[in-house]
Amino acid sequence: MEEQGQGGAGAVVSGVEQYWWWAAASAAQLGWGISSFRKGHAGDSRLMPFKAFSVASLFVGASACAAIASLRASGIHSVEDMKVVGANIRTGLGVRPREGNGRGP
């Protein structure tokens, strides 16, 4: 995990301060998606599939941004970090560690 710096050009910031814009993007997309969804169908009916796809994309994008923000803010920056978290959860639950390279049964 990164350490919090004391300002300056090369300072490293950790936690929420560094990834607040992921959360802001998620909130903006969610708000825009809800607004578009509540507005409903307006205009030419031939554009309805495009409009439905765009609203669905806003919801998917909002959830992806929120997931990235929460993972990065909690200190998970790579797949290896996620594997360590998974191993710690399994150990905490009292489940045996996985054998081998983790590729199937």
Side-chain angles (χ1 to χ4, degrees):
M1 182 176 312
E2 300 169 344
E3 294 181 17
Q4 192 168 2
Q6 295 293 329
V12 178
V13 181
S14 68
V16 178
E17 294 88 16
Q18 190 174 5
Y19 301 105
W20 65 270
W21 51 274
W22 282 98
S26 174
Q29 284 180 331
L30 186 61
W32 191 10
I34 291 171
S35 171
S36 299
F37 180 74
R38 295 190 85 183
K39 188 180 193 181
H41 173 66
D44 192 4
S45 63
R46 292 176 289 171
L47 295 176
M48 193 59 205
F50 173 71
K51 291 177 184 178
F53 179 77
S54 63
V55 171
S57 296
L58 286 170
F59 286 117
V60 170
S63 62
C65 284
I68 294 294
S70 62
L71 284 174
R72 296 283 175 112
S74 64
I76 299 173
H77 299 287
S78 68
V79 174
E80 294 300 321
D81 293 340
M82 193 64 172
K83 287 180 182 179
V84 170
V85 169
N88 290 340
I89 291 171
R90 289 179 64 86
T91 302
L93 293 174
V95 179
R96 283 188 353 215
R98 292 188 173 185
E99 304 272 336
N101 61 3
R103 292 187 173 191

